[in-house]
Amino acid sequence: MRVRARDGAVGLSAEELGEALGERATLVQFSTAFCQPCRATRRVLAEVAGMVDGVAHVELDAEERLELVRRLEVLRTPTVLVLDAGGRVVRRAAGQPRRADVIAALGAAV
């Protein structure tokens, strides 16, 4: 997994996600139905969200959310976006993340 910092200019609202943003941060996962690494990513992100107060995990089907995929330039699944409390993208990663990487990326958001 490669984690990249973002400038915070791109943001997502609860309406766009279809779920509430976390009080402190939101982990947004773009997945596809037959993506094996997406399943492992789901487990890691859910585990981290459960460990850190105020962090939500939202999984989106990339095939059903093509408008967001195009706008956010999601090129592969899984792609994970770390949003701050206001919904701004502060970190972005493609590929299956390690738990330590997710926790470190959350540090930029909270």
Side-chain angles (χ1 to χ4, degrees):
M1 176 186 89
R2 189 170 148 222
V3 177
R4 295 185 295 170
R6 302 295 288 183
D7 62 8
V10 176
L12 292 169
S13 67
E15 292 78 28
E16 289 173 301
L17 293 176
E19 294 188 36
L21 294 170
E23 291 176 19
R24 298 175 66 201
T26 305
L27 301 169
V28 178
Q29 174 184 350
F30 284 90
S31 299
T32 52
F34 298 104
C35 167
Q36 280 292 95
C38 293
R39 293 181 187 132
T41 298
R42 178 184 311 121
R43 286 189 297 273
V44 169
L45 297 182
E47 180 183 325
V48 171
M51 291 175 13
V52 183
D53 288 338
V55 174
H57 171 225
V58 177
E59 185 174 7
L60 302 175
D61 185 320
E63 294 171 340
E64 293 178 3
R65 304 301 303 273
L66 287 176
E67 74 287 348
L68 282 179
V69 166
R70 290 182 183 117
R71 182 168 71 102
L72 299 168
E73 300 175 357
V74 173
L75 302 177
R76 63 182 280 206
T77 57
T79 291
V80 177
L81 306 177
V82 179
L83 310 182
D84 65 13
R88 289 176 299 281
V89 178
V90 294
R91 293 284 186 270
R92 175 186 182 112
Q96 184 177 334
R98 296 178 313 153
R99 184 168 31 133
D101 293 332
V102 175
I103 292 168
L106 275 175
V110 294

